[in-house]
Amino acid sequence: MPSYDPNNIFAKILRGELPSYKVYEDDKVLAFLDIMPRSPGHTLVLPKAPARNMLDVTPDDIAHVMTVVQKVAKAQMKAFAADGVTVQQFNEGAGGQVVFHLHVHVIPRKAGVAMKPPASEKEKPDVLADCAAKLTAALTG
Ligand code: 5GP
């Protein structure tokens, strides 16, 4: 497996070099909205420590990431009146991974509504800002 590349796009977001619609942060984890959401509120949860994917992350970091995934999923049910939540995580190109800093997709679902295809359309900034505000309120409320 290739080594971690500190110039991947999520590393730049973690360092504050690129913007994101942040919804949750603690000392070990950051969560922000996917800019090409597969449904409104699609969130990415990642460890702050460098890890390419599930194959090199420390057990402590992945455990904490999954704790935050659960928090985000519960908040999405409330914030988006969701009927369910899809959780996805991809490892290496062959496993469907495109950005090589570990992240877990947390995607709110409505009954009978299909997810958009991956990376199909960049969402409008005002829609992302509205989703981030709703989710942040549900996470902190
Ligand atoms: P994966 O590596 O899990 O296959 O997919 C990477 C995900 O990152 C995709 O869902 C894509 O929409 C999202 N993505 C790609 N570039 C950016 C970006 O600059 N900002 C954010 N927030 N998401 C991104």
Side-chain angles (χ1 to χ4, degrees), residues 4-18 20 30 32-35 44-48 97-105:
Y4 181 81
D5 173 8
N7 287 319
N8 74 76
I9 202 149
F10 293 167
K12 290 181 181 174
I13 289 174
L14 282 164
R15 289 195 295 268
E17 295 165 12
L18 289 174
S20 69
L30 182 68
F32 52 81
L33 296 185
D34 195 302
I35 45 162
L44 303 172
V45 181
L46 45 154
K48 289 186 172 178
Q97 186 174 14
V98 175
V99 180
F100 294 97
H101 182 111
L102 171 70
H103 53 279
V104 179
H105 297 258

Side-chain angles (χ1 to χ4, degrees), residues 42-110:
H42 179 168
T43 300
L44 303 172
V45 181
L46 45 154
K48 289 186 172 178
R52 192 170 156 87
N53 53 42
M54 185 71 86
L55 303 169
D56 63 345
V57 68
T58 67
D60 278 358
D61 276 347
I62 190 61
H64 189 54
V65 164
M66 293 313 292
T67 299
V68 175
V69 165
Q70 185 188 36
K71 270 189 219 299
V72 169
K74 288 181 174 181
Q76 287 176 339
M77 292 293 287
K78 211 160 85 176
F80 305 109
D83 301 309
V85 177
T86 296
V87 174
Q88 293 183 319
Q89 193 276 320
F90 305 115
N91 301 282
E92 294 302 315
Q97 186 174 14
V98 175
V99 180
F100 294 97
H101 182 111
L102 171 70
H103 53 279
V104 179
H105 297 258
V106 192
I107 306 170
R109 303 296 302 278
K110 292 274 198 189

